[in-house]
Amino acid sequence: MTHELIVNGTPQSWSENDEDVLLWYLRDGLGISGARFGCGIGICGCCTVLIGGKATHSCTARASMLAGAEISTLEGLAHKSADGTEVLHPVQQAFLENPLQCGWCLPGHIMSAVELLQQHASPSPEQLEASASRNLCRCGGYGTIRKAFARAVQLRREAPQ
Ligand code: FES
Ligand code: FES
């Protein structure tokens, strides 16, 4: 069995000889290592990627079930401006301004915030809180995480359309 899936806009093939757990397919198969391993059982969220725009735990997702799916990871967020300068996604910029301690949980929070901004141009406090608290941080950086989410919303509002 072979099929194609799209990772950060690039078609990739998956065959039954490849890793089936999406996290390991991305990391070991494609060398896309933004999503990280934490619990492996769908609890901590540090392996979060977007599948069809929905924040999903890649440690419990199966590449074999994702024919044609569009997958986004941390690596696909920044883009190049016309002069070739790298432009960070507002969520990346927000976390740069609000650094965490060890940062192991960071990719998951970033992808959750990206989902939030894609779904809600102006999220309510409740929507922001639900998204900012969905993933675990073993360093207890939840105050900083909430600040970064709020800053990302502000940066998105200020960004030229
Ligand atoms: S490693 Fe996937 S949810 Fe923890
Ligand atoms: S900053 Fe260390 S796990 Fe979150």
Side-chain angles (χ1 to χ4, degrees), residues 4 13 21-22 25 28 31 33 37 41-42 45-46 48 52 54-55 63 79 92 100 122 128 137 141 149-150 157:
E4 201 171 78
S13 66
V21 173
L22 180 62
Y25 170 72
D28 296 343
S33 56
F37 178 81
I41 52 172
C46 68
T48 301
K54 185 170 168 32
H79 69 276
Q92 291 174 299
L100 291 172
S122 290
L128 194 145
C137 171
F149 270 64
R157 279 200 201 111

Side-chain angles (χ1 to χ4, degrees), residues 23 36-48 57-60:
L23 176 64
R36 290 181 174 149
F37 178 81
C39 64
I41 52 172
I43 292 175
C44 73
C46 68
C47 65
T48 301
H57 295 145
S58 61
C59 71
T60 54

